[in-house]
Amino acid sequence: MRGLTSTLSIGLSLAGLLTGAAPAPAAPSRTPGPLSAYEHQRLAWGRCPEAQKELNAAGAECARVTVPLDYSAPGGRTIRIAISRVKAADTAHRRGILLSNPGGPGGSGLATTLALRPALKEAADGFDLIGFDPRFLGESSPLRCAPAPPPTPPGPSTSARADFEASVRAARDTARRCREHGDNEALLPHASSRNVARDMDVIRAALGERKLSYYGVSYGADLGAVYTQMFPRRTDRMVIDSSTDPTATQYELFQRSGRPTEEALDAWAAWTARRHDTYRLGRTAAQVRAAVQGLLERAERRPVDIGGQRLNAPVLRMLLKQPIQHTENDAALAAIVRDLVGAAAGKSVEPGPELAAMLALLSSPDLADSMVGGAIYMCGDGGWPAGGWPKDPETYWRNSVRSRATQPVFGPYVNGMIAPCLSGPPQRAQQDRGLDYRAQRSHRATCRPGATPGRCRGDEKEARQRNHHRQDSCGHPGTPEGLVQVRPSQPFGEECDEEQK
């Protein structure tokens, strides 16, 4: 659930994009279809949930939109999608509605539009800002799994293979807990990006709008692309930021993040080496990298004891990968590595505030359930955007071992990451997967000229030219400068043309 705040620097460029020409005249009305009752439902607006303090402080109102569980059987079971609305301040120049998604998948989006206001500036005044939680998440008929058991800490000694086998057992347990709990087995097949796009279109219709505008980041960008494919004539202004390669599987996207993350580690190591007097990790970038690799090699034999917890190498790699993506985390990451290296060497170390916060999250009883939302969609889409996850655990293991030669720090992590759908029910058919690869050429990102320079950590040429081009935690390009306005003139194939149904 990544990176919305990193996109807010787009400022006036986004505002200019969203304040273009007025939408085209409405098309003639058509014969009511099977979704007519949903599209013309009356919404009951009221105060937002108490937990949504920012929305309530902003004067937002909330409602629930009823949608079909299964769009192929709209007369059957229904679910409810939670939405929020901050009305346009400039009613004289109101353009319409603006929906958004913060990424993930699995992120709540009820309050996402509020975070866009600083970037939109006066352009926000012309839109009703509409937030929503995707189906089965947050306030939208949430899907819950059976409670996770307390995590089993690693023993005093371990091995890379033992750690991997533990991750396979954990993935299978999560899949079982979710599939067998309540009536989830009937719900899970309907968790897909295409169904979220259909829900978005029902929201549009229920609000009385002929078109919608949209802003999406990372997975949210992919979701926006899916909507434009399915409902191209109902798309007004569409901004997708940091979209994925639509021809790659989700697993391949994770794998691709290994090399640029190793490059990010080298950039961080150089920064840390210049501050050896503070962090004591080495006077050269090579020495700092060696300290990190040595930490992981030791942890693959004996997990690190610190702060009352025992951390194995997969957990350490995860802790390192999160902050390495942003230069503003350099100091915090250096402090974390310093504490871990000291503890691995047998010293008595009191975790600093940066590491203590991470340890508190790792020990949280809600940690396992917080990952479920992403798994629901990664498995429901069959591994968005273009295919599924390997079914044989040994595929992950072989790739993990092979990656160590060139990606010793992060290769085992990104190649060994197993989705909880590994042992779940059969993946959805191709026709309801997320992104149609045939539309690939319509979703090219181009960097804006004059982008704010800064140290980069990514795998594109522009990244090495200091354009703030950095991958996010799932291997997405992560480029606040890479904005795409998708304005297709026709549907991308018959399966995308939902407007004709």
Side-chain angles (χ1 to χ4, degrees):
M1 327 235 164
R2 316 171 285 267
L4 179 60
T5 55
S6 69
T7 67
L8 295 184
S9 61
I10 61 178
L12 291 176
S13 292
L14 174 58
L17 177 61
L18 291 173
T19 53
S29 60
R30 295 187 293 185
T31 303
L35 297 178
S36 181
Y38 298 100
E39 294 171 339
H40 296 93
Q41 62 185 287
R42 185 182 298 275
L43 303 183
W45 294 98
R47 184 177 173 82
C48 295
E50 290 301 321
Q52 298 291 339
K53 293 182 172 56
E54 291 184 357
L55 281 173
N56 287 320
E61 50 188 353
C62 288
R64 296 182 188 276
V65 178
T66 301
V67 301
L69 172 66
D70 183 351
Y71 276 88
S72 68
R77 184 173 176 179
T78 63
I79 57 176
R80 305 181 75 194
I81 306 300
I83 68 172
S84 65
R85 178 174 68 183
V86 177
K87 290 185 177 181
D90 186 358
T91 56
H93 299 91
R94 181 183 179 277
R95 181 175 186 94
I97 58 173
L98 172 67
L99 279 70
S100 63
N101 182 279
S108 169
L110 205 59
T112 299
T113 45
L114 291 183
L116 289 174
R117 293 181 72 91
L120 291 172
K121 300 185 185 302
E122 66 274 7
D125 294 341
F127 288 91
D128 287 355
L129 302 180
I130 307 297
F132 73 101
D133 283 344
R135 56 171 52 203
F136 306 133
L137 302 177
E139 301 288 337
S140 294
S141 296
L143 188 153
R144 306 191 187 284
C145 301
T152 302
S157 62
T158 186
S159 67
R161 179 68 193 192
D163 291 340
F164 173 76
E165 291 176 352
S167 69
V168 174
R169 291 193 297 271
R172 286 175 169 159
D173 178 69
T174 299
R176 179 193 58 78
R177 288 189 299 106
C178 289
R179 187 175 64 254
E180 298 178 359
H181 185 66
D183 63 348
N184 285 355
E185 198 155 10
L187 300 176
L188 285 168
H190 303 288
S192 71
S193 297
R194 290 176 68 82
N195 275 339
V196 175
R198 294 178 180 113
D199 294 341
M200 289 166 55
D201 200 59
V202 171
I203 292 171
R204 172 202 59 76
L207 292 174
E209 301 290 337
R210 301 306 300 267
K211 292 190 175 187
L212 65 77
S213 293
Y214 179 85
Y215 178 88
V217 180
S218 190
Y219 165 77
D222 293 345
L223 177 61
V226 170
Y227 184 87
T228 65
Q229 290 179 333
M230 297 174 69
F231 307 100
R233 298 177 183 87
R234 298 172 189 167
T235 300
D236 187 14
R237 293 305 192 210
M238 178 73 60
V239 179
I240 56 175
D241 182 355
S242 307
S243 58
T244 63
D245 178 352
T247 66
T249 68
Q250 179 62 65
Y251 179 58
E252 288 168 343
L253 293 174
F254 276 106
Q255 288 182 294
R256 292 178 185 180
S257 71
R259 182 176 62 84
T261 311
E262 294 283 342
E263 294 174 359
L265 179 67
D266 289 333
W268 168 83
W271 182 93
T272 304
R274 294 194 295 271
R275 294 159 178 80
H276 174 73
D277 291 344
T278 300
Y279 300 109
R280 303 286 177 180
L281 292 173
R283 295 188 179 278
T284 68
Q287 290 173 342
V288 175
R289 174 178 266 277
V292 173
Q293 292 181 202
L295 166 67
L296 295 171
E297 290 168 1
R298 287 192 295 270
E300 287 185 332
R301 299 188 301 271
R302 298 185 62 84
V304 178
D305 288 303
I306 187 168
Q309 297 191 48
R310 185 173 288 160
L311 310 179
N312 60 16
V315 171
L316 292 179
R317 286 185 165 97
M318 178 184 69
L319 294 182
L320 295 174
K321 192 174 188 297
Q322 301 313 306
I324 197 69
Q325 300 166 86
H326 302 285
T327 55
E328 59 265 30
N329 294 331
D330 284 351
L333 179 58
I336 289 169
V337 173
R338 178 187 58 196
D339 291 350
L340 291 171
V341 168
K347 298 178 182 179
S348 178
V349 175
E350 182 69 23
E354 300 88 357
L355 181 57
M358 289 187 168
L359 294 176
L361 177 63
L362 290 174
S363 62
S364 168
D366 300 325
L367 178 62
D369 289 337
S370 69
M371 307 297 182
V372 168
I376 286 174
Y377 283 95
M378 286 190 288
C379 298
D381 280 340
W384 58 268
W389 296 79
K391 295 181 180 180
D392 183 2
E394 292 305 311
T395 299
Y396 299 87
W397 172 249
R398 288 192 297 269
N399 291 340
S400 177
V401 171
R402 190 179 300 118
S403 71
R404 289 173 179 265
T406 57
Q407 301 169 21
V409 174
F410 296 108
Y413 177 74
V414 299
N415 285 274
M417 184 175 293
I418 300 176
C421 42
L422 177 67
S423 60
Q427 293 174 342
R428 296 186 59 78
Q430 174 66 40
Q431 63 265 23
D432 211 31
R433 285 189 181 156
L435 197 59
D436 177 7
Y437 71 91
R438 292 172 298 175
Q440 176 185 7
R441 288 176 296 177
S442 295
H443 301 125
R444 293 175 179 168
T446 56
C447 292
R448 286 189 291 106
T452 303
R455 172 142 59 89
C456 319
R457 293 179 184 165
D459 65 343
E460 301 291 341
K461 180 178 180 181
E462 290 82 2
R464 292 188 289 272
Q465 293 175 344
R466 303 171 66 86
N467 258 350
H468 271 183
H469 189 171
R470 191 185 290 197
Q471 287 203 348
D472 63 20
S473 61
C474 284
H476 305 161
T479 59
E481 296 79 25
L483 302 180
V484 182
Q485 182 185 7
V486 180
R487 300 285 293 168
S489 59
Q490 60 185 14
F492 301 118
E494 292 180 2
E495 70 177 35
C496 298
D497 198 358
E498 290 276 318
E499 294 169 335
Q500 305 303 319
K501 295 182 179 180

